Amino acid sequence: MSAYHNYIITSLDLHMVELEDFKYGGTNITAFRLVNPESDLVQQAVREWIQGETMFNRAIPFGGKSIKGANSTVNPFSISTETALMYDAALLFANALNALDRSQDIETVNLDCNSEQTWQHGNSLINYMKLVEMTGLTGKVSFDTEGFRSNFKLDIVELRKEGLTQVGTWETGTGANFSRNYTEQYTEIVESLHNKTLVVSTILNDPFLMLKEDSKVLVGNDRYEGYSVDLIYEISNILGFNYTIKLVDDDNYGSYDKKTGKWNGMIGELLEQKADLVLADLTITYEREQGVDFTMPFMNLGVTILYRKPNKKDPNLFSFMSPLSVGVWISIMTAYLAVSLILYTIARLSPFEPPSNNKSFPMESDESGLRLAHQDPLYEAIFTCTGNPVRTVATQAQFETVETTTGTFNAMNSFWFVAASLLGQGVDVLPSAFSTRMIAGLWWFFTLIMISSYTANLAAFLTVERMESPIESAEDLARQQKIKYGAVQGGSTAAFFRDSKITTYAKMWAYMEQNPNVFTKSNREGIERVLKEDGDYAFMMESTNVEYVVERKCELTQIGGLLDSKGYGIGLPPNSPYRTPITSAILQLQEGGKLHLLKEKWWKRMRGGGKCQEKPEGGAAALGWKNVGGIFLVLMVGLSLACVIALIEYMCNRRKIRNRYSAVMRGARNRSLGSGSQEIEEEILSNGFEKMSLPGPDLAAHGTVSLSRCNTNPTTLSRGSQHSLPNVGFSNSCAVPAAPNGFVIPNPCTPTHYVHYHHQEQCPHYSKRMN
């Protein structure tokens, strides 16, 4: 007999039985009694009876004892129920006869027991007995009309260390009424645990229960260590019991066999009363709850996926583009084009934005000492007497030009202004109108937010190493066929997938049923299979085991979150009285933070814990070529593209110059420039007019002037040239530059043309700055 046995004694004389051998076993023995030995009426009657029998040296006719033994559970005033009933019956008869005698004269006569003759007062006496109510040794005595006892009360008693104790009453009509409250009951159970030795059934599984690594020979509980050992130690200190750790015989947690109708593993040992409780990583399930009782969970968990840790993904060459998505980059480029076009359009339409008008003013360079001539009015066209236009040519003289720019928001400058603002750079052109300034302000605000957001995320994308995994969740695992997955056969994890109504989990269970080879016999086998198959197998088990494994095997990792929510609890036999005290002890440990400390100890510190924790570096990680190589690539590609564009511009410009002056060269060739014309033409074609080298360091221009006549008189050459020019206010023009000797006339002189050179000092249009 143990604390898990419950007995109800139907005899009303249990108080007469010696129960010394049973009161410390914790067995729940409950009985009813009709006679309360602790009642004053009973004790007085027994005392008088004992005195009377002692006076006449007669033996006491009932089972009571005059002197109570030291450890006896029998009260010295206890009498059997039958004796008490006989006592009450005699007393009831006496009271009824006395009442009958007071009501009428009673005469006694002799009666033959074999005859049918009755006493004439017999029916009256019976009626008086039915009407009389009294309190006797068995409590209130009364009868109904049919002569059966009614309204009697039974005491409900239980066996405790001090003996039988009344815990309630039972009455006809109202039923049982227990007088003991919850606190008293809880206190009694806790007191019953003091110095009691409980058998704890468990199973070897890291880190809950492990064999100690010690060179000494250990016996008993000293052989084991782990989370379960520390937890039962803390609970025993609170409740004051002793314990013995016992490994389960068949090395199973406990599952129900529908064919045999029996449980195996630790659950079976509880039902067979081979153990008082089970403390291990035993999951609380509905099926197990039907067989045994559980305390509140001491650890919460869920099913999760154990998988090979994915390889680190090499940084993308264009990782500097990663802070913003492709859609955002496209939106930024679209905004750039839209704002540029809107700015250009508004600048053209706004009356307060000046139109494009560039003016150049040549100035004298004081530092170089060169005096520069203003562009001659005849630069554009000089009409000779025959009406043929003549072009002038720039000289080798050095000069600088001051440009005043107003309203330069043409298409090119609009795009350049918006691009410079986007990149955080300044430009020389700024809007003048309120509308264009508003557009610029809004664009600057837009670029401020975008650049700040980009900069904030850039460091993370350049320094954080990304992991590339083929699966990220159970849904990914269910959709593919390459990676196998399984669980412990017959375990709670497999039962979860089997009973799940969720489509994804039901699909995964169907796959596991079709491929029985994915199941394993234990968690250890599943872990080894994940390591061995190198990314081709995923194992599903409780998150607590996964957390323990990934702390010690750095090649493994947890995939996704928890697929369900459940807990580990301490198993107890059905209707165990220790369930409430142990649950209270677990709650006390949880509130005090002891459970958290125990988990930190055995998961992150003991037995190699914390091995795979990534240690944070003291400073920011140095960026390698793989992180920033894309920026250099963009720079090199941009420079190469700029060089190609420059080459194209040069070729286009050269072709434009050749086309522009080809007509002039053909006209000069037709007019026979003279002996030096061929060399000048070749120089013009090869270098252009702007870079032609003419005699003298300060030549202003070169040109041909067709004359209607030829003046060969050296003394009148200067007049001849000037008079030969159109008389329209340009008689002092210096459009035709001068050589040292004034004129260069082909010899022989023909009335076709001649070349006239002027020095800059002789040019009347020369000034430091022309307005």
Side-chain angles (χ1 to χ4, degrees):
M1 298 177 65
S2 64
Y4 310 113
H5 293 89
N6 298 279
Y7 296 95
I8 296 179
I9 308 301
T10 58
S11 173
L12 298 178
D13 286 331
L14 183 63
H15 59 284
M16 302 296 296
V17 179
E18 182 61 58
L19 302 175
E20 177 66 22
D21 297 336
F22 306 100
K23 66 180 183 180
Y24 296 107
T27 305
N28 183 16
I29 299 177
T30 305
F32 298 94
R33 71 183 180 188
L34 192 57
V35 180
N36 183 8
E38 298 177 0
S39 171
D40 294 337
L41 183 60
V42 173
Q43 291 184 4
Q44 180 181 359
V46 171
R47 189 178 297 110
E48 291 177 354
W49 202 336
I50 292 175
Q51 291 177 356
E53 296 301 318
T54 305
M55 183 182 301
F56 296 100
N57 295 322
R58 292 183 299 210
I60 300 175
F62 50 87
K65 298 180 181 179
S66 59
I67 301 176
K68 181 180 179 180
N71 296 320
S72 176
T73 60
V74 180
N75 193 292
F77 298 98
S78 297
I79 59 175
S80 65
T81 304
E82 183 179 4
T83 302
L85 288 174
M86 291 296 294
Y87 179 89
D88 288 346
L91 184 59
L92 176 65
F93 180 82
N95 291 335
L97 187 60
N98 185 31
L100 180 63
D101 182 58
R102 287 196 303 267
S103 63
Q104 55 181 310
D105 295 335
I106 300 176
E107 295 179 359
T108 60
V109 295
N110 295 326
L111 297 175
D112 186 1
C113 294
N114 296 323
S115 67
E116 295 180 357
Q117 185 180 3
T118 61
W119 187 40
Q120 60 179 350
H121 301 291
N123 292 330
S124 299
L125 180 60
I126 293 175
N127 292 331
Y128 270 100
M129 292 179 65
K130 293 179 180 180
L131 296 175
V132 171
E133 292 185 2
M134 70 173 193
T135 302
L137 300 182
T138 59
K140 183 180 179 181
V141 179
S142 63
F143 296 90
D144 57 13
T145 57
E146 296 181 357
F148 293 99
R149 186 167 179 175
S150 62
N151 299 327
F152 63 93
K153 183 173 66 174
L154 297 177
D155 294 336
I156 302 175
V157 294
E158 288 184 357
L159 181 61
R160 299 180 182 176
K161 293 181 180 180
E162 59 273 12
L164 288 176
T165 305
Q166 181 178 347
V167 296
T169 60
W170 181 93
E171 296 183 30
T172 57
T174 60
N177 181 22
F178 290 90
S179 58
R180 180 180 54 180
N181 56 33
Y182 174 80
T183 303
E184 293 177 352
Q185 184 179 6
Y186 177 80
T187 304
E188 292 171 3
I189 296 174
V190 173
E191 289 178 354
S192 67
L193 278 172
H194 289 170
N195 299 323
K196 187 178 183 64
T197 300
L198 302 179
V199 178
V200 180
S201 179
T202 184
I203 188 172
L204 289 174
N205 185 28
D206 300 348
F208 292 92
L209 187 72
M210 301 171 287
L211 293 174
K212 279 187 179 180
E213 298 175 350
D214 201 325
S215 58
K216 299 180 181 179
V217 178
L218 303 176
V219 294
N221 297 341
D222 295 336
R223 295 174 295 169
Y224 309 107
E225 66 177 358
Y227 181 88
S228 298
V229 177
D230 289 352
L231 179 58
I232 193 63
Y233 174 78
E234 296 292 338
I235 295 175
S236 65
N237 285 341
I238 295 175
L239 299 179
F241 63 85
N242 301 320
Y243 60 90
T244 300
I245 297 176
K246 172 187 175 297
L247 295 180
V248 62
D249 296 333
D250 58 2
D251 199 28
N252 287 319
Y253 286 87
S255 59
Y256 183 73
D257 189 349
K258 295 182 179 179
K259 295 181 180 180
T260 61
K262 294 183 178 180
W263 289 83
N264 63 1
M266 294 180 288
I267 302 296
E269 291 191 351
L270 282 179
L271 295 176
E272 295 173 3
Q273 298 180 4
K274 294 181 180 180
D276 297 310
L277 56 89
V278 169
L279 180 54
D281 51 330
L282 184 65
T283 307
I284 302 175
T285 62
Y286 172 78
E287 188 178 34
R288 289 172 177 167
E289 186 73 34
Q290 301 306 305
V292 297
D293 289 342
F294 284 96
T295 63
M296 68 165 289
F298 60 83
M299 185 177 295
N300 295 315
L301 66 145
V303 174
T304 189
I305 302 172
L306 180 68
Y307 188 62
R308 185 89 178 187
K309 183 175 291 186
N311 298 324
K312 293 183 179 180
K313 184 179 179 181
D314 293 335
N316 187 5
L317 189 62
F318 296 96
S319 57
F320 63 90
M321 302 285 289
S322 301
L324 301 178
S325 63
V326 177
V328 175
W329 283 115
I330 294 176
S331 301
I332 292 177
M333 294 305 300
T334 303
Y336 164 71
L337 296 175
V339 172
S340 300
L341 294 176
I342 293 174
L343 182 63
Y344 168 69
T345 304
I346 298 299
R348 292 291 302 270
L349 298 178
S350 176
F352 299 100
E353 191 69 41
S356 178
N357 183 19
N358 298 338
K359 296 181 180 181
S360 300
F361 300 97
M363 296 183 62
E364 178 185 11
S365 177
D366 296 332
E367 295 180 358
S368 61
L370 299 176
R371 295 186 299 172
L372 307 178
H374 185 271
Q375 181 176 336
D376 193 271
L378 294 183
Y379 177 82
E380 296 297 333
I382 299 177
F383 293 90
T384 64
C385 297
T386 60
N388 295 325
V390 177
R391 301 287 294 182
T392 60
V393 184
T395 71
Q396 294 176 339
Q398 299 181 6
F399 62 93
E400 61 182 2
T401 304
V402 177
E403 294 186 356
T404 60
T405 304
T406 59
T408 56
F409 274 101
N410 53 25
M412 183 62 69
N413 286 346
S414 297
F415 279 94
W416 177 248
F417 172 80
V418 175
S421 301
L422 180 62
L423 299 177
Q425 305 300 319
V427 291
D428 294 334
V429 292
L430 293 174
S432 300
F434 180 79
S435 58
T436 54
R437 288 183 178 182
M438 178 178 291
I439 295 174
L442 293 175
W443 178 250
W444 288 341
F445 178 76
F446 171 80
T447 56
L448 172 66
I449 301 301
M450 295 306 302
I451 292 175
S452 301
S453 303
Y454 175 82
T455 305
N457 292 334
L458 181 61
F461 280 90
L462 291 179
T463 57
V464 176
E465 294 180 339
R466 305 290 175 179
M467 307 297 287
E468 188 174 17
S469 176
I471 55 175
E472 297 292 341
S473 62
E475 287 74 14
D476 296 341
L477 200 60
R479 282 194 294 263
Q480 56 83 45
Q481 297 295 331
K482 180 180 178 182
I483 302 174
K484 301 177 182 179
Y485 49 89
V488 175
Q489 190 169 14
S492 60
T493 302
F496 161 73
F497 285 97
R498 180 194 63 201
D499 301 332
S500 178
K501 303 301 181 182
I502 301 176
T503 305
T504 301
Y505 304 153
K507 181 179 179 182
M508 296 175 69
W509 174 250
Y511 167 82
M512 288 186 280
E513 274 192 322
Q514 295 174 1
N515 301 272
N517 59 332
V518 299
F519 290 103
T520 62
K521 295 182 179 179
S522 64
N523 289 336
R524 190 184 303 274
E525 180 182 346
I527 295 170
E528 293 176 355
R529 186 169 179 179
V530 173
L531 290 171
K532 182 179 179 181
E533 298 194 15
D534 194 17
D536 293 333
Y537 182 78
F539 186 65
M540 287 166 289
M541 61 180 181
E542 285 82 2
S543 58
T544 51
N545 292 329
V546 173
E547 292 171 3
Y548 181 80
V549 171
V550 299
E551 286 287 339
R552 289 153 179 81
K553 297 184 182 296
C554 303
E555 303 88 353
L556 302 179
T557 186
Q558 176 180 331
I559 298 297
L562 302 182
L563 306 185
D564 68 338
S565 179
K566 49 191 174 184
Y568 290 149
I570 298 178
L572 297 165
N575 302 318
S576 173
Y578 307 139
R579 176 180 179 179
T580 301
I582 295 178
T583 296
S584 300
I586 293 174
L587 186 60
Q588 183 177 343
L589 293 175
Q590 181 179 3
E591 292 177 351
K594 192 65 178 180
L595 295 182
H596 176 73
L597 294 177
L598 289 179
K599 187 174 181 181
E600 289 289 322
K601 172 184 176 181
W602 290 105
W603 263 257
K604 297 184 180 299
R605 296 198 303 269
M606 303 298 291
R607 295 290 187 99
K611 175 182 177 182
C612 301
Q613 290 183 354
E614 297 182 359
K615 298 180 179 179
E617 299 181 359
L623 299 179
W625 173 254
K626 293 182 179 180
N627 300 101
V628 297
I631 304 175
F632 289 92
L633 180 61
V634 171
L635 178 61
M636 290 185 290
V637 172
L639 293 177
S640 302
L641 183 61
C643 293
V644 172
I645 295 175
L647 180 61
I648 295 174
E649 290 178 345
Y650 173 75
M651 298 300 295
C652 293
N653 186 57
R654 183 176 178 84
R655 182 178 181 84
K656 180 179 180 181
I657 294 174
R658 292 176 65 89
N659 293 336
R660 181 178 179 183
Y661 298 110
S662 59
V664 177
M665 292 299 100
R666 284 194 298 270
R669 192 179 302 111
N670 294 335
R671 294 180 178 85
S672 302
L673 290 173
S675 60
S677 63
Q678 186 66 26
E679 292 78 1
I680 295 173
E681 179 183 350
E682 293 178 356
E683 185 175 1
I684 291 173
L685 291 176
S686 60
N687 298 322
F689 279 89
E690 288 80 0
K691 297 181 181 180
M692 190 183 74
S693 176
L694 294 177
D698 55 354
L699 298 180
H702 169 267
T704 61
V705 179
S706 299
L707 301 176
S708 60
R709 58 185 175 83
C710 180
N711 185 357
T712 59
N713 188 354
T715 61
T716 61
L717 282 177
S718 62
R719 287 195 311 273
S721 67
Q722 293 178 1
H723 294 165
S724 300
L725 294 174
N727 189 14
V728 288
F730 299 106
S731 60
N732 294 324
S733 174
C734 59
V736 179
N741 60 352
F743 289 92
V744 177
I745 302 174
N747 189 16
C749 179
T750 62
T752 304
H753 71 277
Y754 66 93
V755 181
H756 179 200
Y757 294 91
H758 274 295
H759 286 287
Q760 288 178 347
E761 292 82 351
Q762 299 174 355
C763 181
H765 301 135
Y766 171 78
S767 65
K768 290 186 178 181
R769 177 166 183 170
M770 303 299 295
N771 293 323

